Amino acid sequence: MINRLPALVRTTTFRLALVHAALFIVFSGALLVYLYSATAGYLGRQAGSELNAEVSALSAAYARGGFSRLNQSVIERSSARGPFFYLLVRGDGSKVSGDFDMLPDDPPEVGQTDISFDYEARSIEGDVQRKSAAGRMVRLQDQGVLMVAYDTGARGEIVGRVTDVVWTSAFVGIILSLLGGALVSRWAAQRAEALAKTAEDVMAGDLSRRAPVLGSGDEFDRLSERLNAMLSKLERLMVASRHAGDAIAHDLRSPLSRLRNRLEGALTEPVGEAREEAIEQSLDELDAVLETFNAILRLSRVQSGDSGPMQLLDVALIADELSELYEPVCDENDLSFHAEVKTGLYVQADRSLVAQAVVNLLDNAVKYTPKNGAVVLRARRTRAGDVELAVTDTGPGIPRGDRSRVVERFVRLEQSRTEPGSGLGLSLAAAVADLHGGRLELTEGAGGPSGPGLRAALVLPAGQKTRQD
C-alpha cells in the first residue's frame, strides 16, 4: 500500500513539509481566532455590556419609583434617540410607552430573556427597510414587561465582514501553507535526489562524479562539499591502490626473478661453497621481499590509527640515540653527519612510531646523498611552538611538483628506481605525522654539487612540558 504512493509523498522532506504546513495552519488558526475575538467578539461583548448597564439602570428606576418612575425613564430615553429601543407594556400586553407598538415575541413568565427579532423602519427617503435588532425582555413584579433592544445592523455588518475576512484568510492560509510545503519538499527532494544520483554513479564506477554545490551555503551545500571531499580522497586512494599494485609487481618482479634464477642455478651446482653462496644470496633476496611486506603492514596499521600507548616523551632523547647510530653509518658511506639537538622537546606520542619515522628520513638521506655529501639531524622548536625533527641532506632533492606525490604508497621517482627500496618510507613518516596531529614538510635542503638537497621535517604538536619551558 505504501509503495503505491508517489515517490515525493514517501520522502522525509514531504513529511516534514506536512508538519510545517500543519504548524502553520495551527498558528494561523490561533491568530485568526484571536483577531475574531479582538474585533467581532469585542463588539459583541461591548453590546452585551451596554445592554446590561441599560437594563440595570431601568431596573433601579423601577425599584425606586415603581411603574410610573420606570415609565418616565423610558419616555426620557426614547425621546433622546440613543442607541437603544424601548417598550413598556402592562400585564395585559397594552403599550404604555416606547418605540414599538407591541412586543416582538412572547415575554417570559418570570425573570428575563434575551431576544432577537426583525423590525421595519423608514429611511430618510421614506423607504421602508427591514432591520435586525437584539435585546432583552424583563417581567416586572406588577406583571408588566420592559423591553430594551438595540439595532444590530451596523455591528452585524462589521461582524460579518470580520467573519468573512477570517474565513477567507483561513482558506488562503491553508492553500498557501500546503503549496509552500509542497514546493519546499520538492526542492529538498531534488537536492537529496542529486546526492543519491551522485552516489549511484560512484557505485557504478565513475569516481570522477561529484555532488552539485549551488553556492547557497545551506546544509545541502555543506553536505555536498563533505561528500565531494570524501569522493576525492576515495579517488586518490583507488588510484594509489592501482598504482600500489603496479609498484609491487614492478619492485618484486626483479628480486623474485633473480631468486628463481639463483635457486635454479643452485640446483645444478654440486654441494659446496658455490651452492651455499647461492642459498645465502637467495635468503638475502627473501629478506628484502619480506621487509617490503612488513613495511606495507606497518603503514596500514598506522593509517588505520593503530598505535602503541601515547605517552609524554622527550624527542631529544630519540634524536640523540639516532645520532649515535647514524654517525658511523654516514662515515661508512663517505658522508659527513652533524646533529643539532635542543633539550626539553616533549610531545605526546608513540615512541616507536616517531623513532621509525625519523629512521626512514635518515635512511633516505643516506641512500640518496652522493659521497662527500652531508646529512644533518635537527631537533628543535618552531616559531609556532611545535616540535620539529628535521633531516637535511645535500642530495638531488625532490622537485616541487612531486613532493605531494612521493608521500603516497610505492611512489618512487625515476631517479630512485636504481636504488633498493619499496617507496614506503615517506608514506610511513607522513602517516605517523597525521596520526599525531602533525605534518611532514618536504622543502629544499642546504644545496650542494649534486642538487638542491632535501629537508624532510616531522612536525608534531608540543606536549605540556614544552609549553611550560
Side-chain angles (χ1 to χ4, degrees):
M1 180 63 181
I2 296 179
N3 293 332
R4 296 178 182 177
L5 296 175
L8 178 63
V9 178
R10 298 198 304 268
T11 60
T12 301
T13 53
F14 181 81
R15 296 169 186 169
L16 292 177
L18 286 181
V19 173
H20 171 268
L23 292 176
F24 181 80
I25 291 172
V26 171
F27 170 76
S28 300
L31 179 61
L32 293 174
V33 169
Y34 170 76
L35 291 176
Y36 183 86
S37 175
T39 53
Y42 172 76
L43 292 176
R45 291 191 298 272
Q46 184 182 34
S49 177
E50 292 175 355
L51 178 63
N52 290 334
E54 192 69 12
V55 172
S56 297
L58 292 174
S59 298
Y62 178 72
R64 289 194 303 268
F67 194 85
S68 60
R69 181 69 181 91
L70 175 61
N71 182 38
Q72 181 180 357
S73 296
V74 169
I75 294 173
E76 291 174 353
R77 293 172 186 268
S78 297
S79 302
R81 293 300 178 188
F84 289 98
F85 304 126
Y86 305 91
L87 178 60
L88 179 62
V89 299
R90 296 185 178 86
D92 57 2
S94 59
K95 175 181 176 181
V96 178
S97 60
D99 299 299
F100 297 104
D101 295 331
M102 57 182 299
L103 294 173
D105 202 352
D106 294 332
E109 294 295 332
V110 292
Q112 59 186 14
T113 183
D114 292 332
I115 58 172
S116 297
F117 59 94
D118 295 333
Y119 69 97
E120 293 180 353
R122 292 187 179 274
S123 64
I124 299 177
E125 293 80 8
D127 299 329
V128 177
Q129 296 179 339
R130 193 166 186 82
K131 296 184 178 182
S132 298
R136 184 173 300 163
M137 287 191 298
V138 180
R139 174 69 71 175
L140 304 176
Q141 293 181 357
D142 56 5
Q143 297 302 311
V145 177
L146 170 67
M147 182 187 75
V148 181
Y150 59 91
D151 185 82
T152 60
R155 294 181 181 179
E157 184 177 354
I158 295 175
V159 171
R161 290 183 178 181
V162 171
T163 303
D164 292 341
V165 169
V166 167
W167 282 111
T168 303
S169 301
F171 177 76
V172 173
I174 292 174
I175 297 299
L176 290 179
S177 63
L178 293 177
L179 181 60
L183 292 177
V184 170
S185 64
R186 182 173 179 81
W187 173 83
Q190 289 176 343
R191 297 295 303 274
E193 183 63 25
L195 296 177
K197 185 64 169 61
T198 300
E200 291 175 358
D201 292 343
V202 172
M203 288 189 295
D206 184 7
L207 295 180
S208 63
R209 187 78 164 82
R210 295 295 181 269
V213 179
L214 302 182
S216 61
D218 60 5
E219 63 276 10
F220 283 103
D221 269 3
R222 292 195 296 271
L223 178 60
S224 296
E225 291 170 356
R226 304 298 190 279
L227 180 62
N228 290 341
M230 181 188 70
L231 292 176
S232 297
K233 186 173 183 180
L234 177 63
E235 185 179 16
R236 289 195 301 269
L237 292 176
M238 293 296 293
V239 172
S241 178
R242 287 194 293 267
H243 177 76
D246 297 338
I248 291 175
H250 184 278
D251 291 342
L252 296 185
R253 180 176 57 189
S254 296
L256 290 177
S257 298
R258 290 194 301 270
L259 177 61
R260 185 183 186 284
N261 294 333
R262 190 172 292 112
L263 291 176
E264 190 176 44
L267 291 176
T268 61
E269 295 288 340
V271 176
E273 293 183 0
R275 174 176 286 190
E276 291 178 357
E277 182 179 357
I279 293 175
E280 290 177 356
Q281 293 176 349
S282 299
L283 291 175
D284 291 339
E285 294 284 356
L286 285 175
D287 289 339
V289 173
L290 291 175
E291 179 60 28
T292 297
F293 283 107
N294 288 333
I296 295 173
L297 293 176
R298 284 198 301 271
L299 179 58
S300 297
R301 285 197 297 267
V302 173
Q303 289 181 334
S304 65
D306 185 12
S307 65
M310 294 286 185
Q311 56 185 347
L312 192 66
L313 57 93
D314 189 353
V315 297
L317 301 178
I318 298 177
D320 289 335
E321 294 175 3
L322 295 179
S323 299
E324 295 177 1
L325 178 64
Y326 274 86
E327 186 172 3
V329 174
C330 289
D331 288 340
E332 292 177 2
N333 289 272
D334 297 327
L335 302 174
S336 65
F337 180 83
H338 178 65
E340 298 177 4
V341 181
K342 301 294 183 179
T343 59
L345 303 177
Y346 291 92
V347 296
Q348 196 77 23
D350 183 333
R351 178 184 177 84
S352 62
L353 291 180
V354 173
Q356 182 63 58
V358 180
V359 166
N360 289 354
L361 300 182
L362 288 169
D363 283 342
N364 283 346
V366 173
K367 184 189 299 182
Y368 296 110
T369 303
K371 292 183 177 181
N372 300 320
V375 176
V376 179
L377 172 63
R378 292 185 177 90
R380 59 187 179 183
R381 298 178 193 166
T382 66
R383 292 182 178 179
D386 296 327
V387 173
E388 177 185 273
L389 289 164
V391 177
T392 306
D393 61 56
T394 57
I398 298 177
R400 184 182 299 272
D402 294 329
R403 289 173 189 169
S404 60
R405 191 167 62 88
V406 294
V407 296
E408 298 176 2
R409 290 188 179 194
F410 302 105
V411 173
R412 303 182 67 194
L413 303 181
E414 292 302 323
Q415 63 267 28
S416 304
R417 288 294 180 183
T418 57
E419 298 290 340
S422 59
L424 295 173
L426 292 179
S427 299
L428 181 61
V432 170
D434 290 340
L435 180 65
H436 292 85
R439 62 188 183 278
L440 178 65
E441 296 180 350
L442 299 178
T443 57
E444 290 186 357
S450 302
L454 178 67
R455 174 181 171 274
L458 184 69
V459 183
L460 303 176
Q464 186 66 29
K465 288 189 177 181
T466 302
R467 296 192 180 98
Q468 292 176 350
D469 290 342

